[in-house]
Amino acid sequence: MTVQDAYQQAVAAGTLYQDSAQLAVLPELERVRAALAAPVKRSGFFRKAPDPIPGLYMWGGVGRGKSMLMDLLYDLVDAPKQRRHFHAFMQWVHAEMTEARKKGVDDALAPVAAKLADEVRFLAFDEMQISDITDAMLVGRLFEALFARGVVVVTTSNRPPDDLYKDGLNRQLFTPFIALLKEKMVVHELASETDYRQDRLAGTPSYFAPIDDTARQAIADIWAKLSNGQSETLTLHVKGRQVELPSYHNGVAKAKFFDLCGRPLGAADYLALADAVRVLILEDIPALSRHNFNEAKRFVTLIDALYEAKVQLICSAAAQPEMLYVEGTGTFEFERTASRLREMQSADWVA
């Protein structure tokens, strides 16, 4: 089955709406599928190295269907394959390099790249973005090794290659990787005018108070709608620390208040989180006071980061924003946070 056939079947079944921007990228997806399906050429008894297959870098605004299209391709590819969220993939790379160093190798990245190239021919990455200097220094060498071994990469991103690691530390050392992406992959903008993720939430409240069975069920329904029943743990590496999001799928993360505000996290952690997700579902925000002052301060910092990055917040809380923090040091400062929580509920802010 071609990618076009699979897409039209989904449209006929009513699980997809036909979109002109999505239709425009289907030939590129089919090109990758067909090339990976072609038999490997042989010369006598020896198998020839496969001809290089250009990958695909799909970028565009959130909710345009990039991940859905990549999943459509992934399901049709008949070759050794892996699908990873990019942050989770880099976490795996770091862990494998740690193990390689224990064996005393001079270059810990080389055996990691070799192992991956031996195991897969097709790699699908969701939401490529680089925010960590360590990752920025690794990805160029890693991808160069994978491309040299014939691994085909398809990735999605919210930004074009030239904007990866924008304004990052020592970015001039990263720019050769951008050139490599453009050389080895077809860059395609998915310029749909429709945000399908937002359509799923149209008319749905985003703030539920108090925390009761009704609120819990509403949050569960929203998560089910946005995650399609799929979930993984996403761990962000920030200056040597780990920020863990227990549930993540396709740009949407779900966590409890204690996961993010009950731990000693700071502004850099929340900025990395806001850069990694487009929707955050935050459950069980408690009443705040002098008794949980540190958690309240972290919550203020988290909301500031989400607000500035335009991340959509869906949450359940013990009270309405103005009544969350009514006594103790910092109540005056919290008024701005309450105002932002109100603004983040409005349809105009989300749009």
Side-chain angles (χ1 to χ4, degrees):
M1 180 182 293
T2 68
V3 174
Q4 290 93 333
D5 289 339
Y7 184 89
Q8 293 300 337
Q9 280 191 7
V11 170
T15 56
L16 284 181
Y17 293 103
Q18 185 162 290
D19 181 285
S20 59
Q22 293 175 4
L23 287 173
V25 75
L26 295 184
E28 287 295 340
L29 296 168
E30 173 58 18
R31 171 185 62 78
V32 173
R33 186 209 65 79
L36 286 167
V40 176
K41 298 177 182 178
R42 292 185 176 273
S43 177
F45 292 103
F46 301 99
R47 186 175 64 179
K48 293 179 61 178
D51 295 331
I53 301 171
L56 179 63
Y57 184 107
M58 279 190 297
W59 72 276
V62 298
R64 266 57 185 182
K66 301 184 298 295
S67 297
M68 176 276 296
L69 290 169
M70 187 176 70
D71 287 343
L72 195 70
L73 169 65
Y74 186 84
D75 290 341
L76 293 172
V77 165
D78 184 17
K81 58 187 178 180
Q82 284 187 20
R83 185 198 187 286
R84 300 276 190 91
H85 184 275
F86 192 72
H87 279 296
F89 172 73
M90 292 308 300
Q91 178 187 359
W92 175 84
V93 170
H94 286 295
E96 289 291 311
M97 289 179 65
T98 298
E99 292 301 313
R101 291 189 186 100
K102 293 178 181 178
K103 300 176 182 177
V105 300
D106 293 330
D107 181 1
L109 185 61
V112 178
K115 176 181 177 180
L116 192 60
D118 286 340
E119 293 177 352
V120 302
R121 194 173 175 217
F122 175 52
L123 270 176
F125 290 125
D126 202 17
E127 302 204 18
M128 177 181 282
Q129 49 189 321
I130 312 290
S131 57
D132 182 84
I133 180 63
T134 306
D135 290 349
M137 297 301 100
L138 284 178
V139 291
R141 291 179 55 222
L142 176 60
F143 272 59
E144 188 172 17
L146 294 176
F147 288 144
R149 295 282 295 272
V151 176
V152 182
V153 176
V154 172
T155 186
T156 69
S157 182
N158 293 332
R159 58 195 68 186
D162 287 330
D163 285 354
L164 289 172
Y165 197 53
K166 193 173 184 180
D167 303 321
L169 183 66
N170 294 324
R171 190 174 187 269
Q172 72 278 4
L173 302 176
F174 180 77
T175 51
F177 174 62
I178 296 175
L180 180 68
L181 289 180
K182 292 179 177 180
E183 176 189 351
K184 300 296 185 180
M185 305 174 75
V186 174
V187 178
H188 186 104
E189 180 184 5
L190 193 65
S192 175
E193 296 181 357
T194 304
D195 182 343
Y196 292 98
R197 182 183 297 159
Q198 196 53 248
D199 282 357
R200 293 187 186 185
L201 295 175
T204 303
S206 59
Y207 193 100
F208 301 90
I211 303 169
D212 55 17
D213 289 343
T214 300
R216 292 187 184 94
Q217 186 59 54
I219 291 287
D221 291 343
I222 292 173
W223 171 246
K225 186 182 296 184
L226 293 177
S227 68
N228 294 321
Q230 303 178 53
S231 178
E232 62 184 336
T233 298
L234 176 63
T235 303
L236 308 176
H237 295 268
V238 186
K239 298 181 178 178
R241 298 184 301 276
Q242 292 187 347
V243 182
E244 188 171 284
L245 297 166
S247 301
Y248 177 88
H249 178 70
N250 191 20
V252 182
K254 182 167 72 77
K256 292 188 180 296
F257 176 87
F258 184 81
D259 295 327
L260 300 180
C261 300
R263 300 172 54 211
L265 303 179
D269 303 297
Y270 297 135
L271 289 170
L273 185 157
D275 191 49
V277 308
R278 303 320 310 154
V279 179
L280 175 65
I281 299 175
L282 187 63
E283 296 185 278
D284 300 341
I285 303 170
L288 303 170
S289 68
R290 65 170 66 91
H291 301 295
N292 51 9
F293 178 65
N294 289 330
E295 289 86 346
K297 284 203 306 181
R298 294 183 196 117
F299 180 65
V300 168
T301 305
L302 171 63
I303 296 304
D304 285 345
L306 299 176
Y307 181 89
E308 294 299 335
K310 298 296 183 186
V311 174
Q312 184 171 359
L313 177 66
I314 299 168
C315 59
S316 60
Q320 293 298 325
E322 296 80 8
M323 301 302 294
L324 268 179
Y325 195 170
V326 295
E327 61 93 13
T329 304
T331 53
F332 178 77
E333 291 81 359
F334 193 82
E335 289 181 6
R336 184 186 70 164
T337 300
S339 175
R340 287 190 162 184
L341 286 171
R342 281 292 180 193
E343 185 180 353
M344 292 167 81
Q345 297 176 50
S346 69
D348 289 343
W349 187 87
V350 169

